[in-house]
Amino acid sequence: MTRPIRLGTRRSALATAQSSQIARALEQQAGRPVELVPIVSEGDTSRASLSQLGGTGVFATRLREALLRDECDLLVHSLKDLPTADAPGLVIAATPARADARDVVLTRDGVRLGDLAPGARIGTGSPRRIAQVRRANAGVELHDIRGNVDSRMQRVRDGELDAIVLAAAGLSRLGADIDLALEPQDLSGWPTAAGQGALAVETRSDIDEDLFAAIRALDDPATRFAVTVERAILAGVEAGCHAPLGIHAVLRGEQLSVTAVAYGREPGEEIAVEHAEAVAQEYIRPEGGSDGADSARRVVPRRASEIGTAVAGRLLDRGASDLVSPSTTP
């Protein structure tokens, strides 16, 4: 009997939905069953805010430990939650086609964020979203919020909060029954977290060739290129994934467009960089490394990393590090 492929996943409804989506696609590619292996991370058990927990990697560490100990064969992460540094012995083998990267504001009655009355209570624990909400409406009150999507929405239904900010991709993947009014935020004026809307399928760098090839078949080159640009910007500014930094890149055909904004505490205190260029097709396909077995499977499009590093340099030249350092995080 063929042994099932073991896919490690957090227990949350969203993580399970994302993992199940990848499991179905991988079963078709590999011709083998895929079973989910639930794993509990610190981010799942602690009620502290993500910024207090350290943000970067809080959901990934325990899962990666399980993967390295051969408790599972692969993981599915929300890419925005992953540290930008390589994890020794592991490789992101696929980034499937990206879902909607936008944030959405949810309210009971459809009042737009900018029109909410002074003192309206907005729920979000993200320093970036806090900064963006303040720019849209300086009179509202910000409240830190944790919990799953349903519990967050219930706090709006119950009147405890007047609005919350969530990722559109998570709502879509959950197939949530949404009885609240949604106001999507335009990415040009409200760029989101690096990698938001994208999934990362991670495995060991020494995984067998057949399984690696099946996972690689799930990769979308345009998504891979865009999120590599975004993560290179994040790494170049040396900001964690929960820093007040909005980044969005999109590749349509060969045309790349990038928006990156570092936010300070006060409305108007921000540094923005826009970048656009045509990218030849030969640079879009990922390239393996040449310095050992591990790097041979680090299928990262080199040109994307170069672009992201250059954009990060422009942000730093304009003083972005002063805005995204921990001492200035909203």
Side-chain angles (χ1 to χ4, degrees):
M1 180 177 178
T2 302
R3 181 178 71 83
I5 299 167
R6 300 163 300 165
L7 195 164
T9 180
R10 293 170 54 207
R11 295 175 182 268
S12 74
L14 177 56
T16 301
Q18 293 175 166
S19 296
S20 297
Q21 173 188 330
I22 297 301
R24 291 191 295 269
L26 184 57
E27 284 176 336
Q28 293 183 343
Q29 290 294 333
R32 293 168 57 187
V34 178
E35 65 178 18
L36 300 188
V37 179
I39 300 168
V40 177
S41 74
E42 180 187 3
D44 296 311
T45 57
S46 174
R47 292 296 91 196
S49 70
L50 293 181
S51 57
Q52 289 174 331
L53 286 172
T56 306
V58 69
F59 295 116
T61 301
R62 172 67 184 97
L63 276 72
R64 284 174 156 175
E65 290 171 351
L67 181 56
L68 288 168
R69 288 200 293 261
D70 195 29
E71 296 174 19
C72 55
D73 300 307
L74 71 154
L75 304 168
V76 176
H77 306 279
S78 293
L79 185 58
K80 68 182 179 65
D81 294 330
L82 278 188
T84 55
D86 289 338
L90 303 179
V91 57
I92 297 175
T95 50
R98 190 179 210 167
D100 191 341
R102 295 177 296 176
D103 278 343
V104 293
V105 177
L106 290 82
T107 59
R108 287 185 299 280
D109 48 14
V111 177
R112 296 177 64 84
L113 175 60
D115 296 328
L116 287 171
R121 295 155 297 181
I122 314 299
T124 178
S126 159
R128 169 188 58 81
R129 287 172 174 162
I130 289 171
Q132 290 170 324
V133 167
R134 285 175 174 164
R135 278 149 184 76
N137 189 331
V140 299
E141 296 179 359
L142 279 301
H143 294 261
D144 192 20
I145 185 171
R146 289 288 311 276
N148 60 35
V149 169
D150 284 339
S151 67
R152 295 184 191 204
M153 290 196 297
Q154 191 60 45
R155 293 176 70 175
V156 178
R157 296 186 190 103
D158 293 343
E160 181 182 346
L161 296 170
D162 296 297
I164 54 174
V165 187
L166 297 176
L171 292 172
S172 174
R173 290 182 178 125
L174 275 172
D177 182 15
I178 302 172
D179 54 359
L180 299 173
L182 274 64
E183 180 191 353
Q185 303 302 308
D186 187 82
L187 286 164
S188 62
W190 186 295
T192 51
Q196 183 160 312
L199 300 178
V201 187
E202 188 171 48
T203 188
R204 292 185 298 279
S205 54
D206 63 355
I207 203 78
D208 73 78
E209 290 295 336
D210 289 344
L211 180 52
F212 185 78
I215 297 171
R216 284 290 301 134
L218 306 180
D219 193 67
D220 178 70
T223 296
R224 167 81 68 159
F225 196 95
V227 298
T228 299
V229 171
E230 294 172 10
R231 286 166 61 78
I233 295 170
L234 191 64
V237 178
E238 297 184 347
C241 60
H242 291 279
L245 186 65
I247 307 170
H248 184 67
V250 60
L251 182 67
R252 296 186 178 91
E254 295 186 347
Q255 188 62 41
L256 175 72
S257 299
V258 184
T259 299
V261 184
Y263 297 98
R265 284 183 175 274
E266 303 300 326
E269 188 180 27
E270 61 188 55
I271 296 168
V273 169
E274 302 278 348
H275 177 82
E277 69 172 75
V279 181
Q281 281 295 326
E282 61 262 30
Y283 295 121
I284 296 172
R285 290 285 171 179
E287 306 169 57
S290 58
D291 55 347
D294 275 10
S295 81
R297 284 185 166 183
R298 296 195 189 284
V299 281
V300 175
R302 190 172 306 161
R303 180 60 187 144
S305 295
E306 294 170 349
I307 294 169
T309 300
V311 171
R314 291 169 60 190
L315 284 168
L316 292 172
D317 287 344
R318 299 179 186 184
S321 60
D322 294 333
L323 298 187
V324 301
S325 64
S327 62
T328 58
T329 299

